[in-house]
């Protein structure tokens, strides 16, 4: 999609450090890592967020899950544990409007990530 940063990364117009490259998915290192392992897994086709995906894209969703697990194995966190996060919209702090899964590990991760407010 025109003007989308992650479409630019898929196209190779924006440089990135690849971790995994499949027919439908691409995984690359986050430019501002929040953990020793911080990889972003994205579909090569533009999708705004998880809100825009449905069961009609079950094959692609399966590919993304396979890619996430392959990244975890490749980065050697499959056994030690890792976190998968996808931010959707403003309150979640989604900065890049191209579906992406953060795969984070390599240290003990706190939960919840920040704050514990249940409501307003
Ligand atoms: P979001 O907040 O949308 O869930 O996460 C976007 C992520 O993309 C952030 O963790 C941010 O560090 C990462 N990011 C933003 N711009 C770039 C870039 O140009 N290259 C890479 N590799 N990561 C980026
Ligand atoms: Zn895009």
């Amino acid at each position: 999609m025109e003007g989308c940063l992650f479409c630019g990364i898929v196209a190779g117009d924006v440089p990135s450090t690849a971790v995994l490259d499949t027919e439908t998915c691409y995984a690359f290192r986050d430019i501002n890592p929040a953990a020793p392992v911080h990889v972003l897994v994205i579909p090569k086709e533009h999708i705004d967020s998880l809100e825009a995906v449905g069961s009609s894209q079950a094959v692609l969703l399966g590919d993304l899950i396979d890619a996430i697990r392959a990244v975890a194995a490749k980065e050697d966190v499959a056994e030690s544990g890792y976190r998968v996060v996808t931010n959707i919209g403003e309150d979640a702090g989604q900065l890049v409007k191209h579906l992406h899964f953060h795969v984070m590990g390599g240290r003990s991760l706190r939960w919840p990530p920040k704050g514990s407010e249940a409501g307003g």
Side-chain angles (χ1 to χ4, degrees):
M1 195 180 86
E2 190 86 11
C4 170
L5 176 65
F6 287 177
C7 283
I9 283 180
V10 170
D13 298 335
V14 178
S16 64
T17 306
V19 176
L20 193 80
D21 191 356
T22 75
E23 201 181 321
T24 56
C25 305
Y26 184 59
F28 55 102
R29 297 199 187 285
D30 195 292
I31 205 166
N32 185 22
V37 173
H38 190 168
V39 175
L40 301 175
V41 176
I42 67 173
K44 287 186 173 175
E45 72 174 77
H46 183 88
I47 295 171
D48 285 349
S49 80
L50 204 63
E51 271 293 298
V53 190
S55 54
S56 65
Q57 283 137 304
V59 173
L60 177 61
L61 285 167
D63 288 351
L64 284 162
I65 289 168
D66 283 348
I68 287 166
R69 291 174 50 247
V71 164
K74 218 168 174 176
E75 295 292 300
D76 209 23
V77 294
E79 282 196 15
S80 54
Y82 58 99
R83 182 168 295 158
V84 181
V85 171
T86 190
N87 293 317
I88 303 164
E90 198 178 329
D91 275 359
Q94 185 185 3
L95 295 176
V96 181
K97 306 291 188 280
H98 180 130
L99 174 63
H100 54 280
F101 295 91
H102 299 255
V103 178
M104 292 180 287
R107 67 168 169 81
S108 184
L109 300 163
R110 293 173 51 178
W111 188 263
K114 207 199 272 180
S116 58
E117 300 89 347

